[in-house]
Amino acid sequence: MRFGRLIIILLLLFALSFGWAGGTSFLQGLLPTIPSSKIITKELSTSWERTYRVIALKSAVNSKLDQRNYIKIQYIPLTMQQTIIAVEDNRFYRHMGFDIEGILRAMLVNMQTGSFSEGGSTITQQLVKNLFLSQEKTYGRKVEEFVLAIDMELRYSKEEILEMYLNSIYFGSGAYGIGDAARIYFDKAPVNLNLAESAMLAGLPNAPSLYSPYVDFKAAKQRQAIVLSVMARNGYIGPQSAEEAKSVPIRLAK
C-alpha cells in the first residue's frame, strides 16, 4: 500500500511539473512588460521579475475582492475562523497551499468512482479558484490552481489568505463573504457571531443552495451539527461545548 501511494505521489509530481508552464504563463500574463532595450544583468532581471510578479499578483487579487464590505480578520471571531478551517481544510496552518493527503484521498475516490467528483482542494486553492479560475473540473485547471496556490502562500500570510477566503466565498441566499452572510442571515456584524451561528455559516459553502436556512432550516441544522462535531473531534472545542451550541436557538434575520 505504501509503495502504491509512493507511485501515485511520483506520478502526481510529474504531472504537476509537466503542467507548471501552464500555471506560470497565467502569472506571466499579469506582469508588466519589461522594456527589452534596457541592458541589465541576469541577476537584476530576475530580481525585477520577482518584484513585478509580487506587485502584479497582489494587484490582481485586490481587483477581484469586494473592498466595500471587506472584513478584516481581527473583526472575524476566532470561532468563525476555526469552524471554516475545521470543515474545509483542517491542515490549513501546516501546508504550503496544497495537501498531499487530501490530494491522494481525492485521487483514490476519483479512481474508484471513475469521475472527478473529489478535488482535495485546500482553502488556498479554493481562494485562487474563486478569484481567477473557472469552475470546470479538469486536470489542466487543477495544475493552474496548484501553481497559483503556492504563489499565494509565498506572497501572503496564512491570516491574510484566510481573511480573503472568508471575504470571497459564497454562503448562499445572495451572501458573498462573511460580512454579507452575517447580515443576511442574522442581521449582525461578523464580530458578534456566536459559536452556533458561526457553525451554521461554516456549513453553507459546501452546498449553499441546499444548506441555506432560508431554503431548508432542518438541513442547515443538520449540517451545523456536523460542523460542531468535526470541531470537537479536531480539538477546537470540547464535546460539551459542541452539544451546547447545537441546542442554542437560531434567530434568523427574516
Side-chain angles (χ1 to χ4, degrees), residues 125-133 135 165 168-170:
Q125 288 174 286
Q126 292 179 54
L127 174 61
V128 298
K129 179 177 68 175
N130 291 339
L131 292 180
F132 301 121
L133 304 174
Q135 299 299 312
Y165 179 75
S168 60
I169 53 175
Y170 184 55

Side-chain angles (χ1 to χ4, degrees), residues 52-213:
Y52 277 124
R53 184 177 297 236
V54 173
I55 294 173
L57 178 63
K58 294 199 171 187
S59 296
V61 168
N62 290 336
S63 70
K64 296 290 185 177
L65 295 171
D66 182 3
Q67 302 295 338
R68 296 168 299 175
N69 194 29
Y70 193 87
I71 309 298
K72 288 290 187 180
I73 196 75
Q74 59 264 35
Y75 300 112
I76 301 174
L78 181 60
T79 51
M80 183 69 237
Q81 300 175 40
Q82 291 174 333
T83 54
I84 282 288
I85 291 172
V87 293
E88 295 293 333
D89 183 6
N90 192 48
R91 285 179 289 276
F92 175 65
Y93 284 103
R94 302 197 295 274
H95 63 62
M96 274 295 296
F98 64 97
D99 183 0
I100 286 294
E101 183 176 330
I103 293 172
L104 288 175
R105 183 174 60 251
M107 289 179 65
L108 290 174
V109 170
N110 291 335
M111 285 189 292
Q112 291 170 354
T113 61
S115 67
F116 201 82
S117 57
E118 291 290 322
S121 295
T122 64
I123 281 177
T124 313
Q125 288 174 286
Q126 292 179 54
L127 174 61
V128 298
K129 179 177 68 175
N130 291 339
L131 292 180
F132 301 121
L133 304 174
S134 69
Q135 299 299 312
E136 64 177 342
K137 294 183 178 181
T138 64
Y139 286 105
R141 207 268 300 148
K142 289 297 291 184
V143 168
E144 284 190 322
E145 179 185 297
F146 180 91
V147 174
L148 284 168
I150 294 176
D151 211 45
M152 288 286 287
E153 291 272 348
L154 293 172
R155 316 302 179 193
Y156 293 95
S157 68
K158 288 290 189 179
E159 288 71 23
E160 289 174 319
I161 291 171
L162 182 60
E163 177 184 285
M164 290 186 287
Y165 179 75
L166 284 166
N167 276 280
S168 60
I169 53 175
Y170 184 55
F171 288 95
S173 298
Y176 286 89
I178 189 62
D180 274 356
R183 176 180 55 81
I184 288 174
Y185 288 112
F186 306 118
D187 193 25
K188 58 174 62 177
V191 71
N192 295 320
L193 292 170
N194 60 36
L195 175 58
E197 293 164 340
S198 296
M200 180 165 284
L201 291 182
L204 301 182
N206 180 260
S209 62
L210 299 178
Y211 296 131
S212 168

